[in-house]
Amino acid sequence: MTPEPDLRACFGFRTRRAMRALTRHYERHLAPTGLKPTQFSVLAALRLRKHRDLTHLAELLGLERTSLLRALATLAAAGLLAPDNALTRQGEARFAAALPLWQAAQDAVAAELGEQAQAITILEQLGERLGRPARA
């Protein structure tokens, strides 16, 4: 007889649950601005202008390129992005309104996690190690 998996000990299960909770947490905080967490991240990344192209931007954000393109189209349709993907005045205003709400969400998560730098390091290492292509 094959033993049943213990979902309580499953990293994938626990991570998905945590991710859903974190997403809902950020959605609640950003709700007054009408931005979703991914849209906020896209606007923040576009403001930095540290990407070479959209493929690189998608990689920086941890998004599939098609997901990024959908997010850009939604932001542009809302008048937040110009055709060159620069933030419009309306986009800058929406981002400015969202920033303190995002910071409040960040602060609440940091308070729950304790040592923020350690938690970020663990998440980065996990993403880098598990994100590598499998070796043949």
Side-chain angles (χ1 to χ4, degrees):
M1 182 190 304
T2 304
E4 293 297 320
D6 181 1
L7 290 180
R8 294 169 301 171
C10 176
F11 294 115
F13 173 75
R14 290 293 181 180
T15 302
R16 280 189 302 279
R17 280 190 64 175
M19 190 61 226
R20 285 192 301 270
L22 277 168
T23 298
R24 286 190 302 269
H25 172 77
Y26 280 89
E27 285 174 344
R28 282 191 302 272
H29 277 80
L30 293 172
T33 67
L35 291 174
K36 300 289 184 195
T38 299
Q39 294 170 330
F40 175 84
S41 296
V42 170
L43 292 176
L46 288 171
R47 289 182 84 245
L48 293 174
R49 296 246 176 232
K50 292 189 176 185
H51 59 284
R52 296 183 299 273
D53 54 33
L54 293 182
T55 299
H56 185 240
L57 180 61
E59 289 173 8
L60 289 172
L61 290 167
L63 296 173
E64 295 292 329
R65 193 169 191 280
T66 56
S67 297
L68 173 61
L69 293 174
R70 279 192 303 274
L72 292 172
T74 300
L75 292 167
L80 306 181
L81 293 180
D84 65 351
N85 290 326
L87 276 66
T88 62
R89 283 189 187 154
Q90 186 179 351
E92 287 288 352
R94 183 86 59 95
F95 181 81
L99 190 56
L101 302 175
W102 171 85
Q103 188 61 59
Q106 283 285 102
D107 293 345
V109 172
E112 290 296 323
L113 291 177
E115 176 55 45
Q116 184 177 4
Q118 182 181 4
I120 295 296
T121 299
I122 290 168
L123 292 172
E124 284 291 324
Q125 289 174 347
L126 187 62
E128 288 173 16
R129 291 177 184 166
L130 296 180
R132 293 182 193 141
R135 294 182 188 193

